[in-house]
Amino acid sequence: DEIDEKLGWYSLMYTVLLCLIILPLHSFGLTNYFGFLCIGLVTIYYVYTAFNFNKSMERPTALKLMFASFIYLPVVFGVLAISAL
């Protein structure tokens, strides 16, 4: 199995693009300050794991990125759902 050398870069690029879409939600009035803080903290961790995977494309960093993505989207959608109430 050969791993594409650019896989880490692709992961980091798409993670940052996703975060650029998610973070302006507060300025559109879709979240409150608490929701913005929660989404911001989870986003920082998600970008951090993507950056670590970009630096060292090994199985442990890939697993951390995978589990960070499992946590990220439900937290963001949950905060958005709670903010909509």
Side-chain angles (χ1 to χ4, degrees), residues 4-25:
D4 186 7
E5 295 173 357
K6 296 181 182 180
L7 183 62
W9 171 248
Y10 294 148
S11 298
L12 181 61
M13 180 181 64
Y14 288 122
T15 301
V16 170
L17 288 174
L18 176 67
C19 296
L20 290 176
I21 293 170
I22 294 292
L23 287 179
L25 293 176

Side-chain angles (χ1 to χ4, degrees), residues 2-63:
E2 289 188 27
I3 298 175
D4 186 7
E5 295 173 357
K6 296 181 182 180
L7 183 62
W9 171 248
Y10 294 148
S11 298
L12 181 61
M13 180 181 64
Y14 288 122
T15 301
V16 170
L17 288 174
L18 176 67
C19 296
L20 290 176
I21 293 170
I22 294 292
L23 287 179
L25 293 176
H26 179 68
S27 61
F28 294 131
L30 297 174
T31 62
N32 54 20
Y33 288 113
F34 179 73
F36 181 70
L37 178 67
C38 289
I39 291 173
L41 291 174
V42 175
T43 299
I44 289 169
Y45 178 70
Y46 190 42
V47 171
Y48 172 76
T49 57
F51 180 74
N52 282 341
F53 180 66
N54 185 31
K55 280 194 322 188
S56 119
M57 292 189 319
E58 297 174 354
R59 184 175 173 85
T61 56
L63 287 172

